[in-house]
Short mmCIF file of all heavy atoms in Angstrom, two decimals:
data_model
loop_
_atom_site.label_atom_id
_atom_site.label_comp_id
_atom_site.label_asym_id
_atom_site.label_seq_id
_atom_site.Cartn_x
_atom_site.Cartn_y
_atom_site.Cartn_z
N TYR A 109 -0.86 58.01 -230.96
CA TYR A 109 -1.37 56.85 -231.69
C TYR A 109 -2.79 56.57 -231.20
O TYR A 109 -3.06 56.62 -230.00
CB TYR A 109 -0.50 55.63 -231.41
CG TYR A 109 0.70 55.46 -232.32
CD1 TYR A 109 1.30 56.55 -232.93
CD2 TYR A 109 1.24 54.19 -232.59
CE1 TYR A 109 2.41 56.39 -233.76
CE2 TYR A 109 2.34 54.02 -233.41
CZ TYR A 109 2.93 55.12 -234.00
OH TYR A 109 4.01 54.96 -234.82
N LEU A 140 1.18 65.36 -235.34
CA LEU A 140 2.29 64.45 -235.09
C LEU A 140 1.85 63.47 -234.01
O LEU A 140 1.79 63.80 -232.82
CB LEU A 140 3.54 65.22 -234.65
CG LEU A 140 4.77 64.37 -234.29
CD1 LEU A 140 5.13 63.42 -235.43
CD2 LEU A 140 5.95 65.26 -233.93
N ARG A 141 1.52 62.26 -234.43
CA ARG A 141 1.05 61.22 -233.51
C ARG A 141 2.23 60.37 -233.04
O ARG A 141 2.94 59.78 -233.86
CB ARG A 141 0.01 60.35 -234.20
CG ARG A 141 -1.27 61.08 -234.57
CD ARG A 141 -2.22 60.18 -235.32
NE ARG A 141 -3.47 60.85 -235.68
CZ ARG A 141 -4.40 60.31 -236.47
NH1 ARG A 141 -4.23 59.08 -236.95
NH2 ARG A 141 -5.50 60.98 -236.76
N ALA A 142 2.41 60.32 -231.74
CA ALA A 142 3.53 59.58 -231.16
C ALA A 142 3.06 58.32 -230.47
O ALA A 142 1.97 58.27 -229.88
CB ALA A 142 4.28 60.46 -230.17
N ALA A 143 3.89 57.29 -230.53
CA ALA A 143 3.65 56.06 -229.77
C ALA A 143 3.89 56.33 -228.28
O ALA A 143 4.29 57.43 -227.88
CB ALA A 143 4.56 54.95 -230.27
N GLU A 144 3.64 55.34 -227.45
CA GLU A 144 3.87 55.46 -226.00
C GLU A 144 5.30 55.90 -225.73
O GLU A 144 6.25 55.36 -226.29
CB GLU A 144 3.60 54.10 -225.35
CG GLU A 144 3.77 54.07 -223.86
CD GLU A 144 3.40 52.72 -223.27
OE1 GLU A 144 2.35 52.16 -223.67
OE2 GLU A 144 4.16 52.21 -222.44
N HIS A 145 5.46 56.88 -224.86
CA HIS A 145 6.79 57.41 -224.58
C HIS A 145 7.58 56.46 -223.66
O HIS A 145 7.08 56.00 -222.63
CB HIS A 145 6.69 58.77 -223.91
CG HIS A 145 6.33 59.87 -224.87
ND1 HIS A 145 6.53 61.20 -224.60
CD2 HIS A 145 5.79 59.82 -226.11
CE1 HIS A 145 6.12 61.93 -225.61
NE2 HIS A 145 5.66 61.11 -226.55
N MET A 146 8.82 56.20 -224.03
CA MET A 146 9.67 55.31 -223.24
C MET A 146 9.87 55.81 -221.82
O MET A 146 9.95 55.01 -220.87
CB MET A 146 11.03 55.16 -223.92
CG MET A 146 10.99 54.47 -225.29
SD MET A 146 12.61 54.57 -226.10
CE MET A 146 12.29 53.68 -227.63
N ARG A 172 4.34 42.72 -228.25
CA ARG A 172 5.19 43.85 -228.65
C ARG A 172 4.33 45.04 -229.06
O ARG A 172 3.34 44.87 -229.77
CB ARG A 172 6.13 43.44 -229.78
CG ARG A 172 7.14 42.39 -229.33
CD ARG A 172 8.20 42.11 -230.39
NE ARG A 172 9.17 41.15 -229.89
CZ ARG A 172 10.24 41.46 -229.16
NH1 ARG A 172 10.48 42.73 -228.88
NH2 ARG A 172 11.06 40.52 -228.73
N PHE A 173 4.72 46.21 -228.61
CA PHE A 173 3.95 47.42 -228.89
C PHE A 173 4.91 48.56 -229.23
O PHE A 173 6.10 48.51 -228.89
CB PHE A 173 3.06 47.78 -227.70
CG PHE A 173 3.79 47.92 -226.39
CD1 PHE A 173 4.28 49.15 -225.98
CD2 PHE A 173 3.98 46.82 -225.57
CE1 PHE A 173 4.96 49.27 -224.77
CE2 PHE A 173 4.65 46.92 -224.36
CZ PHE A 173 5.14 48.17 -223.96
N PRO A 174 4.41 49.60 -229.89
CA PRO A 174 5.29 50.70 -230.30
C PRO A 174 5.59 51.66 -229.15
O PRO A 174 4.72 51.98 -228.34
CB PRO A 174 4.48 51.40 -231.39
CG PRO A 174 3.05 51.13 -231.03
CD PRO A 174 3.05 49.75 -230.42
N THR A 175 6.82 52.11 -229.09
CA THR A 175 7.23 53.13 -228.13
C THR A 175 8.13 54.13 -228.86
O THR A 175 8.57 53.88 -229.99
CB THR A 175 8.01 52.53 -226.94
OG1 THR A 175 9.20 51.89 -227.43
CG2 THR A 175 7.17 51.52 -226.19
N VAL A 176 8.43 55.23 -228.20
CA VAL A 176 9.30 56.24 -228.82
C VAL A 176 9.93 57.07 -227.71
O VAL A 176 9.35 57.22 -226.62
CB VAL A 176 8.50 57.13 -229.81
CG1 VAL A 176 7.52 58.03 -229.06
CG2 VAL A 176 9.42 57.93 -230.71
N ALA A 177 11.11 57.61 -227.98
CA ALA A 177 11.78 58.50 -227.03
C ALA A 177 11.29 59.93 -227.23
O ALA A 177 11.11 60.38 -228.37
CB ALA A 177 13.29 58.44 -227.22
N ALA A 178 11.08 60.64 -226.14
CA ALA A 178 10.55 62.01 -226.21
C ALA A 178 11.44 62.91 -227.06
O ALA A 178 10.94 63.74 -227.83
CB ALA A 178 10.42 62.58 -224.80
N ASP A 180 13.15 62.18 -229.63
CA ASP A 180 12.95 61.92 -231.06
C ASP A 180 11.66 62.59 -231.56
O ASP A 180 11.61 63.07 -232.69
CB ASP A 180 12.90 60.42 -231.32
CG ASP A 180 14.24 59.73 -231.08
OD1 ASP A 180 15.25 60.44 -230.97
OD2 ASP A 180 14.26 58.49 -230.99
N VAL A 181 10.63 62.60 -230.71
CA VAL A 181 9.39 63.29 -231.07
C VAL A 181 9.66 64.78 -231.22
O VAL A 181 9.25 65.42 -232.21
CB VAL A 181 8.30 63.05 -230.02
CG1 VAL A 181 7.01 63.79 -230.40
CG2 VAL A 181 8.02 61.56 -229.86
N LEU A 184 11.72 65.56 -234.43
CA LEU A 184 10.91 65.46 -235.64
C LEU A 184 9.93 66.62 -235.74
O LEU A 184 9.71 67.18 -236.82
CB LEU A 184 10.17 64.13 -235.66
CG LEU A 184 9.20 63.94 -236.85
CD1 LEU A 184 9.93 64.08 -238.19
CD2 LEU A 184 8.50 62.58 -236.76
N VAL A 202 1.50 62.61 -239.36
CA VAL A 202 2.79 61.93 -239.30
C VAL A 202 2.84 61.12 -238.01
O VAL A 202 2.53 61.64 -236.93
CB VAL A 202 3.96 62.94 -239.33
CG1 VAL A 202 5.30 62.21 -239.32
CG2 VAL A 202 3.86 63.86 -240.54
N SER A 203 3.20 59.85 -238.11
CA SER A 203 3.30 58.97 -236.94
C SER A 203 4.75 58.64 -236.68
O SER A 203 5.52 58.43 -237.62
CB SER A 203 2.50 57.68 -237.17
OG SER A 203 1.14 57.97 -237.40
N ILE A 204 5.14 58.58 -235.40
CA ILE A 204 6.52 58.26 -235.06
C ILE A 204 6.58 57.23 -233.94
O ILE A 204 5.85 57.31 -232.95
CB ILE A 204 7.33 59.53 -234.65
CG1 ILE A 204 8.78 59.14 -234.31
CG2 ILE A 204 6.66 60.29 -233.52
CD1 ILE A 204 9.71 60.32 -234.13
N GLU A 205 7.45 56.25 -234.12
CA GLU A 205 7.78 55.26 -233.10
C GLU A 205 9.24 54.89 -233.27
O GLU A 205 9.90 55.31 -234.24
CB GLU A 205 6.90 54.02 -233.23
CG GLU A 205 7.04 53.28 -234.54
CD GLU A 205 6.10 52.09 -234.65
OE1 GLU A 205 4.94 52.27 -235.07
OE2 GLU A 205 6.56 50.98 -234.31
N SER A 206 9.78 54.13 -232.34
CA SER A 206 11.18 53.70 -232.47
C SER A 206 11.29 52.61 -233.54
O SER A 206 10.29 52.07 -234.01
CB SER A 206 11.71 53.19 -231.13
OG SER A 206 11.03 52.01 -230.75
N GLU A 207 12.50 52.28 -233.91
CA GLU A 207 12.73 51.33 -234.99
C GLU A 207 12.36 49.91 -234.59
O GLU A 207 12.10 49.07 -235.45
CB GLU A 207 14.19 51.41 -235.44
CG GLU A 207 14.53 52.76 -236.08
CD GLU A 207 16.00 52.90 -236.41
OE1 GLU A 207 16.78 52.00 -236.01
OE2 GLU A 207 16.36 53.89 -237.06
N GLN A 208 12.33 49.62 -233.28
CA GLN A 208 12.03 48.27 -232.82
C GLN A 208 10.93 48.29 -231.78
O GLN A 208 11.00 49.03 -230.80
CB GLN A 208 13.28 47.61 -232.22
CG GLN A 208 13.08 46.16 -231.81
CD GLN A 208 14.37 45.51 -231.35
OE1 GLN A 208 15.41 46.14 -231.28
NE2 GLN A 208 14.29 44.24 -231.00
N ARG A 209 9.89 47.51 -231.97
CA ARG A 209 8.83 47.38 -230.98
C ARG A 209 9.29 46.48 -229.83
O ARG A 209 10.17 45.64 -230.02
CB ARG A 209 7.55 46.84 -231.62
CG ARG A 209 6.98 47.83 -232.64
CD ARG A 209 5.59 47.49 -233.10
NE ARG A 209 5.02 48.62 -233.84
CZ ARG A 209 3.74 48.79 -234.08
NH1 ARG A 209 2.85 47.88 -233.65
NH2 ARG A 209 3.29 49.85 -234.74
N VAL A 210 8.71 46.70 -228.65
CA VAL A 210 9.18 45.99 -227.47
C VAL A 210 8.00 45.40 -226.71
O VAL A 210 6.85 45.79 -226.92
CB VAL A 210 9.97 46.94 -226.53
CG1 VAL A 210 11.18 47.52 -227.24
CG2 VAL A 210 9.07 48.06 -226.01
N ILE A 266 -4.78 50.79 -230.16
CA ILE A 266 -3.85 51.92 -230.08
C ILE A 266 -2.60 51.58 -230.88
O ILE A 266 -1.69 50.91 -230.40
CB ILE A 266 -3.48 52.25 -228.62
CG1 ILE A 266 -4.72 52.45 -227.78
CG2 ILE A 266 -2.60 53.49 -228.57
CD1 ILE A 266 -5.60 53.61 -228.19
N ASP A 267 -2.59 52.02 -232.11
CA ASP A 267 -1.47 51.71 -233.00
C ASP A 267 -1.46 52.74 -234.11
O ASP A 267 -2.34 53.61 -234.19
CB ASP A 267 -1.60 50.29 -233.57
CG ASP A 267 -0.25 49.67 -233.88
OD1 ASP A 267 0.66 50.40 -234.31
OD2 ASP A 267 -0.10 48.45 -233.68
N VAL A 268 -0.47 52.64 -234.99
CA VAL A 268 -0.43 53.54 -236.14
C VAL A 268 -1.66 53.29 -237.00
O VAL A 268 -2.12 52.14 -237.14
CB VAL A 268 0.87 53.32 -236.96
CG1 VAL A 268 0.92 51.94 -237.58
CG2 VAL A 268 1.06 54.40 -238.00
N GLN A 269 -2.24 54.34 -237.55
CA GLN A 269 -3.45 54.21 -238.36
C GLN A 269 -3.07 53.75 -239.76
O GLN A 269 -2.35 54.42 -240.48
CB GLN A 269 -4.19 55.55 -238.44
CG GLN A 269 -5.55 55.46 -239.12
CD GLN A 269 -6.29 56.79 -239.13
OE1 GLN A 269 -5.75 57.83 -238.71
NE2 GLN A 269 -7.52 56.78 -239.60
N ASP A 270 -3.53 52.59 -240.13
CA ASP A 270 -3.17 52.00 -241.42
C ASP A 270 -3.59 52.90 -242.58
O ASP A 270 -4.72 53.39 -242.63
CB ASP A 270 -3.84 50.63 -241.60
CG ASP A 270 -3.24 49.56 -240.71
OD1 ASP A 270 -2.09 49.75 -240.27
OD2 ASP A 270 -3.92 48.55 -240.44
N GLU A 274 2.07 59.64 -242.93
CA GLU A 274 3.46 59.23 -243.09
C GLU A 274 3.96 58.55 -241.81
O GLU A 274 3.48 58.86 -240.73
CB GLU A 274 4.34 60.46 -243.37
CG GLU A 274 3.82 61.35 -244.48
CD GLU A 274 4.38 62.76 -244.38
OE1 GLU A 274 5.57 62.92 -244.04
OE2 GLU A 274 3.61 63.72 -244.61
N ARG A 275 4.92 57.65 -241.97
CA ARG A 275 5.52 57.00 -240.80
C ARG A 275 6.98 57.37 -240.70
O ARG A 275 7.71 57.36 -241.69
CB ARG A 275 5.38 55.48 -240.90
CG ARG A 275 3.95 54.98 -240.80
CD ARG A 275 3.90 53.47 -240.69
NE ARG A 275 4.39 53.01 -239.39
CZ ARG A 275 4.51 51.73 -239.05
NH1 ARG A 275 4.17 50.78 -239.91
NH2 ARG A 275 4.94 51.38 -237.86
N ARG A 276 7.41 57.70 -239.50
CA ARG A 276 8.81 57.99 -239.22
C ARG A 276 9.27 57.13 -238.05
O ARG A 276 8.44 56.69 -237.23
CB ARG A 276 9.00 59.47 -238.86
CG ARG A 276 8.49 60.45 -239.93
CD ARG A 276 9.29 60.40 -241.21
NE ARG A 276 8.76 61.33 -242.19
CZ ARG A 276 9.09 62.61 -242.28
NH1 ARG A 276 9.96 63.13 -241.41
NH2 ARG A 276 8.57 63.38 -243.21
N PHE A 277 10.57 56.92 -237.95
CA PHE A 277 11.12 56.05 -236.91
C PHE A 277 12.24 56.77 -236.19
O PHE A 277 13.20 57.23 -236.81
CB PHE A 277 11.61 54.73 -237.53
CG PHE A 277 10.51 53.94 -238.16
CD1 PHE A 277 10.21 54.09 -239.50
CD2 PHE A 277 9.75 53.06 -237.40
CE1 PHE A 277 9.17 53.38 -240.10
CE2 PHE A 277 8.71 52.35 -237.98
CZ PHE A 277 8.42 52.51 -239.33
N GLY A 278 12.09 56.89 -234.87
CA GLY A 278 13.12 57.54 -234.07
C GLY A 278 14.31 56.64 -233.83
O GLY A 278 14.16 55.43 -233.64
N PRO A 279 15.52 57.20 -233.78
CA PRO A 279 16.73 56.39 -233.64
C PRO A 279 17.04 55.92 -232.22
O PRO A 279 17.83 54.99 -232.03
CB PRO A 279 17.84 57.32 -234.15
CG PRO A 279 17.33 58.70 -233.83
CD PRO A 279 15.84 58.62 -234.03
N THR A 280 16.44 56.54 -231.21
CA THR A 280 16.78 56.20 -229.83
C THR A 280 16.22 54.83 -229.46
O THR A 280 15.03 54.56 -229.66
CB THR A 280 16.24 57.26 -228.86
OG1 THR A 280 16.74 58.55 -229.23
CG2 THR A 280 16.66 56.96 -227.43
N THR A 281 17.08 53.97 -228.92
CA THR A 281 16.64 52.64 -228.52
C THR A 281 16.09 52.66 -227.09
O THR A 281 16.31 53.61 -226.33
CB THR A 281 17.81 51.64 -228.56
OG1 THR A 281 18.78 52.03 -227.57
CG2 THR A 281 18.46 51.63 -229.94
N LEU A 282 15.40 51.59 -226.73
CA LEU A 282 14.89 51.47 -225.37
C LEU A 282 16.03 51.52 -224.36
O LEU A 282 15.93 52.18 -223.32
CB LEU A 282 14.11 50.17 -225.22
CG LEU A 282 13.53 49.89 -223.83
CD1 LEU A 282 12.40 50.86 -223.52
CD2 LEU A 282 13.03 48.44 -223.74
#
Side-chain angles (χ1 to χ4, degrees):
Y109 272 27
L140 178 54
R141 295 177 180 173
E144 181 177 315
H145 285 198
M146 295 172 179
R172 294 188 177 274
F173 54 91
T175 61
V176 69
D180 292 346
V181 179
L184 176 57
V202 182
S203 301
I204 180 170
E205 62 182 86
S206 66
E207 295 175 352
Q208 184 174 2
R209 295 192 168 198
V210 300
I266 307 297
D267 209 324
V268 65
Q269 187 178 5
D270 289 339
E274 309 159 39
R275 293 189 71 183
R276 304 293 179 86
F277 297 92
T280 304
T281 65
L282 179 69

